[in-house]
């Protein structure tokens, strides 16, 4: 399985001009990636990416309806027809704004029906409570509730401990290994063992060129979800190169 490296630009960069420069840096520095590279820019920058490019397109979020009177929303089908292949759902920054498991579940269903690959983001707020993994389990069970088994192949789980996002703190490879096992156990409850073994699990949270390889070496980790380092073409290309 090819590693999957996702660039989550979040609400950056601040202008078209800077977005063009960033993308030009990606094009210059990431020539023949061995990993599947996905760029998830703000949607108003999507048009900068040509369809046949070496970067697959991702969306940082989706809506749960495909048409109608939903001011301000963009549907999964619209994204799919614009060349978007992947969609992140349940990012902790969306959860922090009130997105709950029921909404996340509706978004996942709609995204899958529209033919998108869904990156479900899960993760605990803190490690202090030894039961922290119950949060992860709950987020997986609730987010994937009622999802048909035939869609399992289009599900990717991004494990992003909230305390590691944008903080410079990271998980240890040993702990990460344990958590991938827990995640696959829950996925096996939902989709069965075989499908669970095939579901890619990504790590996200303060990924940098210096630590990318140590996460990618963890058994059971199939890629990375990169935030702030993806806004620097040099850093992001170094992370992409760590995936071989
Ligand atoms: P970070 O963000 O790499 O800046 O920690 C990761 C994410 O939020 O996906």
């Amino acid at each position: 399985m090819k590693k999957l490296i996702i660039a989550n630009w979040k609400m950056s960069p601040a202008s078209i001009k800077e977005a063009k420069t960033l993308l030009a840096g990606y094009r210059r520095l990431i020539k023949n990636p061995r990993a599947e590279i996905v760029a998830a820019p703000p949607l108003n920058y999507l048009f900068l990416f040509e369809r046949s490019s070496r970067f697959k397109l991702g969306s940082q979020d989706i809506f749960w309806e495909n048409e109608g009177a939903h001011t301000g929303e963009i549907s999964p089908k619209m994204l799919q027809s614009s060349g978007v292949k992947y969609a992140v759902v349940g990012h902790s920054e969306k959860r922090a704004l009130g997105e709950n498991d029921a909404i996340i579940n509706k978004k996942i269903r709609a995204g899958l029906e529209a033919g998108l690959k869904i990156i479900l983001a899960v993760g605990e707020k803190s490690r202090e409570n030894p039961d922290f993994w119950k949060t992860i389990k709950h987020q997986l069970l609730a987010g994937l509730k009622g999802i048909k088994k035939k869609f399992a192949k289009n599900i990717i789980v991004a494990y992003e401990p909230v305390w590691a996002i944008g903080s410079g703190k990271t998980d240890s490879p040993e702990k990460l290994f344990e958590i991938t096992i827990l995640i696959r156990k829950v996925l096996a409850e939902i989709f069965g063992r075989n499908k669970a073994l095939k579901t890619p699990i990504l790590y996200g949270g303060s990924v940098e060129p210096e630590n990318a390889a140590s996460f990618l070496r963890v058994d059971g980790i199939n890629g990375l979800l990169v935030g702030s380092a993806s806004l620097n073409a040099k850093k992001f290309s170094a992370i992409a190169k760590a995936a071989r």
Side-chain angles (χ1 to χ4, degrees):
M1 191 189 295
K2 256 194 185 179
K3 301 274 191 212
L4 191 56
I5 311 287
I6 321 258
N8 176 8
W9 288 8
K10 305 193 181 180
M11 204 173 72
S12 292
S15 68
I16 285 273
K17 194 165 167 250
E18 290 161 89
K20 280 184 179 166
T21 307
L22 180 58
L23 180 55
Y26 275 35
R27 289 198 180 110
R28 194 173 60 248
L29 297 169
I30 309 174
K31 283 268 160 29
N32 296 302
R34 300 215 188 147
E36 169 120 321
I37 309 291
V38 180
L43 294 176
N44 60 317
Y45 297 153
L46 268 190
F47 75 97
L48 296 175
F49 292 77
E50 69 275 350
R51 266 202 187 213
S52 62
S53 92
R54 72 202 90 137
F55 308 117
K56 300 283 183 302
L57 288 175
S59 164
Q60 301 169 17
D61 185 30
I62 42 172
F63 192 60
W64 59 81
E65 295 283 355
N66 272 315
E67 257 196 280
H70 302 288
T71 302
E73 302 296 347
I74 298 180
S75 80
K77 267 194 191 152
M78 289 170 183
L79 291 167
Q80 193 272 342
S81 72
S82 309
V84 169
K85 215 174 145 187
Y86 293 87
V88 180
V89 178
H91 191 282
S92 65
E93 285 154 15
K94 299 294 295 178
R95 292 183 194 259
L97 294 176
E99 182 161 291
N100 60 29
D101 292 311
I103 293 176
I104 289 167
N105 183 255
K106 284 204 283 187
K107 288 183 170 183
I108 294 176
R109 284 167 191 254
L112 290 168
E113 291 288 350
L116 297 173
K117 286 183 184 281
I118 298 296
I119 301 161
L120 168 60
V122 298
E124 78 285 359
K125 288 201 181 112
S126 121
R127 271 285 162 82
E128 267 150 44
N129 185 339
D131 281 345
F132 74 86
W133 66 272
K134 286 189 182 159
T135 305
I136 305 170
K137 182 173 181 178
H138 173 79
Q139 289 172 339
L140 288 168
L141 289 174
L144 298 174
K145 193 172 164 194
I147 303 292
K148 295 188 190 114
K149 282 192 181 168
K150 68 169 184 181
F151 286 127
K153 63 178 189 311
N154 287 335
I155 301 279
I156 295 149
V157 174
Y159 171 60
E160 297 204 294
V162 180
W163 51 267
I165 295 178
S167 65
K169 294 184 203 141
T170 55
D171 212 347
S172 71
E174 295 74 28
K175 196 76 198 168
L176 191 53
F177 174 61
E178 271 177 42
I179 290 169
T180 61
I181 294 173
L182 291 171
I183 291 174
R184 286 220 161 75
K185 268 195 182 155
V186 182
L187 290 172
E189 278 179 36
I190 306 169
F191 295 127
R193 190 170 172 276
N194 285 345
K195 291 194 162 65
L197 287 173
K198 286 190 196 137
T199 305
I201 300 179
L202 316 180
Y203 171 74
S206 297
V207 173
E208 292 286 336
E210 295 74 26
N211 59 27
S214 69
F215 297 124
L216 289 167
R217 271 197 299 270
V218 173
D219 228 356
I221 285 290
N222 309 97
L224 301 168
L225 180 46
V226 187
S228 62
S230 73
L231 296 173
N232 176 318
K234 235 175 159 173
K235 285 190 180 186
F236 187 66
S237 68
I239 293 169
K241 279 187 194 119
R244 31 183 94 243

